[in-house]
Amino acid sequence: MKSKRDQHYRMADGNPTSVQDLSAFVETTMQNLQGKFQVMSNQIVSRMDEMGTRIDDLEKNVSDLMTLAGMDEPVEDSKQ
């Protein structure tokens, strides 16, 4: 049986020796892409969760500062 490395080199040279080699190369490439996509997706979700936490903390800090400054009462709308 031919190794995936041998198949990869044949494909890199542009000389697929069979439909099976081409199919194996495409399948391996797609699996690699899917793995990389999953890693990137997990990183994005993690960073978005972290940003959400930071935004919550920022809102709390702004609210605390407004309370300390005596601005904790809602501002009335002057358009009425």
Side-chain angles (χ1 to χ4, degrees), residues 52-68:
T53 300
R54 287 181 177 185
I55 289 170
D56 291 343
D57 290 345
L58 180 60
E59 288 175 341
K60 183 185 180 311
N61 289 335
V62 168
S63 176
D64 291 347
L65 287 172
M66 290 177 69
T67 299
L68 286 173

Side-chain angles (χ1 to χ4, degrees), residues 2 12 15 18 20 22 34 36 50 54 79:
K2 299 172 186 170
N15 298 322
S18 69
Q20 289 84 8
L22 178 60
Q34 182 178 9
K36 289 177 183 180
E50 184 180 328
R54 287 181 177 185
K79 293 181 181 179

